[in-house]
Every structure is written in structure tokens, then in C-alpha cells.
Amino acid sequence: MKAVTLLLVLAMGLALVINHACAADQPVVDDQHSPFAQVRSVGLSDARWTGGFWADRYELCRTVMIPTLERLLQGTNHSQFYRNFQIAAGLLPGGSRGASFNDGECYKLLEAASATLAVTNDPVLRQELDQQIAVIGQAQRPNGYLDTWVQLHAADTNSPAVPFRDRNNFEVYNLGQLFTAAVIHYRATGQTNLLAIACKAADCLDATFQHPTPELAANVVCPSHYMGLVELYRATGEQRYLDLARKLLAMRALDQDGGSDNQERIPLAGQAEAEGHAVRANYLYAGAADLYLETGDASLLKPLETIWTNVVTEKMYITGGCGALYDGAAPDGAKDQKIITRVHQAYGRNYQLPNLTAHNETCANIGNALWNWRMFLATGAARYLDVVELELYNSVLSGVSLDGTNFFYTNPLRVTDPMPVALRWPRVRVPYVSSFCCPPNLVRTIAESADYAYAKSDGTVWVNLYGDSSLKTEINGASIQLTQETDYPWNGRVRLELMSAGAQPLALKLRIPGWSAGASVRVNLGPAVDCGQPGNYFEIHRVWRAGDIVDLDIPMPVRLMAANPNVEEDVNQLAVQRGPVVYCLESPDLPAGVKLADVLIPGDGQWIVRYDQHLLDGVVVLQGSLLARPAQSWSGKLYQEYQSADLKPFKTRLIPYSVWQNRGPSEMSVWLPRAE
């Protein structure tokens, strides 16, 4: 590690010492010195996508998505984002406009842009960020408080808008995003300008919550601040930031007016299943996992493991989508009705997974990936990376169009025209929705996606995700360099080449996905070795020489998937999955006269796997036959007598779920009724 350096002396007179000088050799989640981490992340610039699936999406993110969102957030056509900082800084006239969480979306985008600097070191982008950071600093109050919604509302209306008085002002959410963005910016650039602002804001937070009260304890909405404070501690070495994160998490138990919507009804240590707002829940779980990595507090890890099991076995969609309900109640059906809380965008009952009305906010799906990544770092268990992979290829990427300019807020598994109910978010991707949290979140996720591909521990390289990439890192003082070549996720053949690995034995751990069967590995074109039980890591331990090659072959048969019978919506229906990719049927692929509602899938059908470079920017499609029944009129009828009819086969193709609705408005379904 590089020498300790002095950050700066803040105007408050605080001397802040930085543990790790610049920069890009440090990870997004820097658990390099976390005492209870079983696995360590690699640095921001250590792993890079070099071609293929993820490199294409990273480049789209860098060249289209980030500039597109920059223009939108700097403008005022839809709302105000950066403009609020300029007004709060006294640089422009005007008042507050927009949602109370808009500050946080600016910070997310700043984080995404910073992450790309770790790879590109673009001087123009660096200068643009410096200008934005200067404005943010001018908007900050002398005591460190920074929230433009509260600041401008108090100034505009002489209202009682004061810091941390209203739980729905999203102040701690905004601050959490600030802390994380500041740390990533520091690691990517070595600059301390945004980090100084974040530290000053954290000091204000620390002073405000010195003596927690039930009223203060209500400030837990969308709690990104636990992750942010832990990362700020990792970057600065300031113990009080870790102590503050621990205090704020414990403080939740003081809230006497909390309910399920914000996971306050029961202290975290007593929770056994996911409930309430799914984004808020997943941020809470991710933050608690970060705290476990630093403290080893078993009272955190135990409920997280229990809740995780509940999510993946009873509450998560086949696409990885989280938060099934637009609106609901929890605990649902409770005998004591006084404790029931209205919830929205929420985890529902176990097995309550509707398809047409699935909510699955993109931010919730990203939050699930954030949580699972930290659970992997804490345990080294492959099952958590299985979820990260599922999210990334399906319910995360579905949130953005192939041109990078339009976005989903919700991610349903079935869409019909007309829809049977009116729902509040569009069924086509759009440039802007009033709750504009998902696009910046998605952009930073793609910008940092290579960070998930590899990890390391003592004498070991962990290969987590497969895609054309390179890794250059250091383990036990030895320089480790390798490259990966593959067409994953379109096929499961992966080649790793070791460029340098030091003189000592090194273990290479290859993740064998839980969905796979019959994976095998060869070293230097030697005999194939069975990788054993899927859902684990296969280890090769040896002294490596430059030029050594490892070939991993993960079979990717087309699999017809059934749901647990308790998922009533999916009884007698099938979904189709190949590798990590979930497929769907979209109406542009139906013949004339066939409606989505009249289609069935045979349980013994044969599917041909074909890469189509001209369709949807190049995807593997599954070609085969489905069955159509004659359309039956249901106008004005809730029930009618069943009429048997001959089913007519027709040829069609299934496309990856993540790319549906890129050919105009359409109908779509992941689950199809099974034909006997």
C-alpha cells in the first residue's frame, strides 16, 4: 500500500488523514483491510472488459448513457437536479424544484463518471466533474449540512423545513450517495475535493445524531448511508465514521412510529423475511453486510442469511426481479391489525409473484446485486454470485434500451395490450420518469460492472463473472496478470491465459454457476476434468508459467423452468432459460392472427440455439415451435364454459428478456401456459 498522506485541513479545523493514497488500485467496495472479509475486491482499474457483451455495454455507458444523463440532469425540462445546487450556492436565482431525492441522483451519476475515469483518465471529463464539485461545495452550509431540497425550501417559503425533521425528505439517502460518490471519485482520480465535502457532511451527520432520539431515528428512508459511511471509513481511516454507521443502524430500534415500509417494525436482528419497500430493504441489507465485514457482528450476518434465503426461495422472480407489489400491506393478514403498515414498491407475501403487475423497480434489482456482492465478500459462497449474475443479465439490463437513452422504472414479466388494470409507470422505456432514481443507478452499475468479474484472497484469484476481460493485480507481493476470452453468455466456453503469476503456487478459483451441469476444465489442452457440484468454485492450485491456458466448458442447454406450485400465477406455466439468460416471447415474433393470450408452450419442444447478429444488436435467439389455440371472446365475461379446441403449431423465436421492447410497443411474456 502507498504511504499515508494528509488529505487537507478543513475549514472546521479538522485534520483528516487518508489511509490509502490514490486511487484506481482500490476497489468500489474496498474490503482489502476488512477483518471479516473472506474474499477481497480488486481495484477499480485492475479488471477491465476488453471485448464482447460487457465491453459493448460499458462503452455504450461511457459514450452515450453518461452524456445523455448529464444533459438531462443539468437541464430543467423535466425537473431540477444540478440547478438546485447552483441556486443553493447563490450562483443562480430561483427556488427548489423536483423530488427531495434529486441530489442523490446527481451523486450517482458523478460516481458513474468517476468510475470511468479510473479506466480512461479523460481530462475533459475530469475538468467537468471538478466544475460540478466546486458548485456542490459552494452549496454546502458552513456546518457541513448539504441537502438542496431542505435548504431551498426553507429559503423560498420561510417554512419550517429544517434538517432531519421529516423522514420523507430523503436526506440520509442523499448523503449516502454523496459519501459513496466521493470515495469512488477519490479512488479514481486521487483528488480530494469531493471527499472533503463528504467528510464535512459526515461530520455534520455525526454531530446531529450524537444523542439519538425517536424522532431522529425516523431518518431511515432508502438507507444508502450505511454503505456510504462504511466506505468513507475505509477511505479515510476515521473510526468515528464506522462508529456512526453502527450507531445509525442500531438507532432504528428507537423509532416508535416505524412500520414495515422502512423495515422498522422489527429490529434487524429479529427479522426473518424481506418485507416493505424493496429498494430500502436491499440497501439496508447491503449496508448491514458492509458493517459485518468491518465488525464481525454475528447479529448482523445471521438475519441477513435468513432473509436472503427467504428472498431467493420465496420472493424473487426468475429474472432476479425484487419487490413484486406496487402497493400492499405488511405484515399481511396480521391478527393485530394495528401493526399493519401500508407499503409500496414492496416485497409481498411469500410466493406472491404476479407477472402483469410485477413492480420490480430497477433500483431494487441493483440493490439486490449490491447486497449479494457483499455477502459473497463475507463468505466466499458462489450462491451469492449466482444472484449477482442473474440480476445483471436480466432484471438490471432490462432497465435500459439498447440505444442507452430510454429507461424502465418497473420490469414486469408479462405485458398485454390492453392491460387489465391501469398502472402508474409506463410499459415502454422512456427518457424520463418523475422518480428518476433508476437511470443514474443503472449507469453507475454498468460503469463499475468489471469490479464484479474477479476477486482475490491469500494466494488465490477468484473468477466470478465470465466475459472478455483482463485482470492485473497483486497477490502476496506477486504481479498477477491474466486475460479471459469467451462469447459468454451466448456460449459457455471460456479460455483464461496466465500472463504472469509469480514464482509461488497460486490457486485459480472458477465459479461453476448453480444452473450448470457437467462443467469441465482443461489445463494447457490436457485431459478434461469434471468440475463437480455446480454452485461452487472449482479450484486449480499450481505454479503457473506465462502462457499457461485454462479452458472452462460450461454446457448451456435450453432449460424449461417451472415455478413452485405456491406461485399461483405460474401454475401449469413454463419459462425458458439458457445459461444465465432468461428468455421471453414478444409479440413482434408472433404470426399474424395469433395473440399472446392464445399461445401455449409444449413441454417436450425442441429449441434451436442461433446467434442473430442483425437482431437487437446481436443476440442468441431460441427458435422452435409453440402452439396457438383459437381465440375465445371474453368481453363482458368473468367465467364461461371451457371449450376444447385443436392447437395449431407455429414457428417462432424467443429473445432474451433484457432486450424486449426495443422494437416498439409490444406484448411480452416470460411465462407461457404449458400444453399437455
Side-chain angles (χ1 to χ4, degrees), residues 294-375:
E294 301 303 327
T295 66
D297 186 347
S299 69
L300 296 175
L301 188 62
K302 183 178 178 180
L304 290 178
E305 290 175 329
T306 303
I307 295 168
W308 183 88
T309 300
N310 170 246
V311 170
V312 299
T313 63
E314 296 170 313
K315 291 189 175 179
M316 189 173 73
Y317 283 89
I318 193 171
T319 60
C322 292
L325 305 184
Y326 276 70
D327 303 284
D332 182 59
K335 184 177 180 180
D336 183 0
Q337 296 187 37
K338 295 190 299 294
I339 68 171
I340 296 176
T341 307
R342 176 192 178 274
V343 295
H344 69 296
Q345 303 178 187
Y347 283 112
R349 299 188 300 271
N350 292 340
Y351 306 108
Q352 188 180 17
L353 298 169
N355 295 316
L356 271 166
T357 60
H359 194 272
N360 291 345
E361 183 185 339
T362 303
C363 279
N365 307 333
I366 291 171
N368 198 24
L370 296 175
W371 172 26
N372 275 272
W373 176 244
R374 288 158 174 79
M375 294 295 284

Side-chain angles (χ1 to χ4, degrees), residues 437-477:
C437 52
C438 297
N441 212 2
L442 206 156
V443 169
R444 70 168 176 169
T445 301
I446 297 175
E448 298 166 356
S449 56
D451 198 63
Y452 295 120
Y454 300 93
K456 60 186 180 180
S457 58
D458 187 30
T460 304
V461 171
W462 301 65
V463 184
N464 303 320
L465 299 180
Y466 299 111
D468 279 2
S469 57
S470 65
L471 174 67
K472 184 177 182 180
T473 191
E474 187 176 289
I475 297 178
N476 297 343

Side-chain angles (χ1 to χ4, degrees), residues 52-129:
F53 186 95
W54 282 110
D56 290 346
R57 280 143 188 85
Y58 177 87
E59 194 62 13
L60 181 73
C61 175
R62 186 183 70 83
T63 61
V64 176
M65 295 173 68
I66 290 176
T68 296
L69 292 192
E70 284 281 4
R71 289 190 293 271
L72 192 151
L73 266 61
Q74 289 179 4
T76 58
N77 286 343
H78 302 287
S79 184
Q80 279 183 186
F81 294 88
Y82 287 122
R83 179 65 63 93
N84 287 330
F85 287 102
Q86 294 171 311
I87 296 171
L91 302 176
L92 289 174
S96 175
R97 179 184 169 210
S100 60
F101 47 80
N102 278 8
D103 286 8
E105 311 324 315
C106 295
Y107 299 139
K108 285 182 196 170
L109 186 57
L110 202 156
E111 177 185 340
S114 298
T116 67
L117 281 177
V119 176
T120 66
N121 198 26
D122 181 347
V124 175
L125 179 59
R126 183 188 289 252
Q127 184 178 17
E128 290 174 353
L129 294 185

Side-chain angles (χ1 to χ4, degrees), residues 415-417 427-428 586-588 660-661 663-668:
V415 172
T416 61
D417 184 21
R427 285 299 181 273
V428 294
E586 192 177 17
S587 55
W660 86 276
Q661 209 280 298
R663 295 175 286 178
S666 63
E667 295 186 306
M668 176 277 297

Side-chain angles (χ1 to χ4, degrees), residues 16 43-44 90 146 169 187 198 200 205 230 317 399 464 475 570-571:
L16 183 60
L44 267 169
L146 180 58
N169 281 345
R187 290 174 182 159
K200 194 174 177 182
L205 195 65
V230 172
Y317 283 89
N464 303 320
I475 297 178
D570 299 334
V571 170

Side-chain angles (χ1 to χ4, degrees), residues 240-508:
R240 57 200 171 87
Y241 295 150
L242 180 62
D243 294 341
L244 178 58
R246 187 160 28 189
K247 176 194 292 186
L248 293 176
L249 186 66
M251 183 184 71
R252 299 172 66 91
L254 297 177
D255 190 356
Q256 299 171 354
D257 190 32
S260 297
D261 204 25
N262 296 315
Q263 296 77 43
E264 300 164 283
R265 184 174 62 87
I266 303 171
L268 178 62
Q271 294 181 25
E273 64 177 88
E275 66 176 26
H277 194 296
V279 182
R280 301 173 188 182
N282 291 346
Y283 281 6
L284 166 63
Y285 307 147
D290 257 336
L291 271 169
Y292 171 79
L293 290 169
E294 301 303 327
T295 66
D297 186 347
S299 69
L300 296 175
L301 188 62
K302 183 178 178 180
L304 290 178
E305 290 175 329
T306 303
I307 295 168
W308 183 88
T309 300
N310 170 246
V311 170
V312 299
T313 63
E314 296 170 313
K315 291 189 175 179
M316 189 173 73
Y317 283 89
I318 193 171
T319 60
C322 292
L325 305 184
Y326 276 70
D327 303 284
D332 182 59
K335 184 177 180 180
D336 183 0
Q337 296 187 37
K338 295 190 299 294
I339 68 171
I340 296 176
T341 307
R342 176 192 178 274
V343 295
H344 69 296
Q345 303 178 187
Y347 283 112
R349 299 188 300 271
N350 292 340
Y351 306 108
Q352 188 180 17
L353 298 169
N355 295 316
L356 271 166
T357 60
H359 194 272
N360 291 345
E361 183 185 339
T362 303
C363 279
N365 307 333
I366 291 171
N368 198 24
L370 296 175
W371 172 26
N372 275 272
W373 176 244
R374 288 158 174 79
M375 294 295 284
F376 163 70
L377 297 177
T379 65
R383 61 182 177 272
Y384 300 116
L385 261 298
D386 283 352
V387 176
V388 172
E389 179 182 67
L390 181 70
E391 298 284 0
L392 291 177
Y393 281 112
N394 298 286
S395 60
V396 169
L397 280 185
S398 62
V400 62
S401 61
L402 289 173
D403 67 5
T405 63
N406 292 281
F407 303 90
F408 275 142
Y409 186 77
T410 62
N411 296 273
L413 276 73
R414 183 176 175 88
V415 172
T416 61
D417 184 21
M419 289 285 285
V421 293
L423 298 172
R424 57 180 174 264
W425 303 112
R427 285 299 181 273
V428 294
R429 295 184 186 87
V430 292
Y432 180 82
V433 295
S434 57
S435 184
F436 202 66
C437 52
C438 297
N441 212 2
L442 206 156
V443 169
R444 70 168 176 169
T445 301
I446 297 175
E448 298 166 356
S449 56
D451 198 63
Y452 295 120
Y454 300 93
K456 60 186 180 180
S457 58
D458 187 30
T460 304
V461 171
W462 301 65
V463 184
N464 303 320
L465 299 180
Y466 299 111
D468 279 2
S469 57
S470 65
L471 174 67
K472 184 177 182 180
T473 191
E474 187 176 289
I475 297 178
N476 297 343
S479 174
I480 310 297
Q481 297 184 51
L482 62 82
T483 61
Q484 184 182 158
E485 294 181 1
T486 179
D487 288 328
Y488 200 93
W490 308 133
N491 72 55
R493 292 184 295 276
V494 180
R495 169 163 286 188
L496 295 154
E497 182 175 356
L498 276 294
M499 317 304 291
S500 69
Q504 299 302 313
L506 177 74
L508 195 63

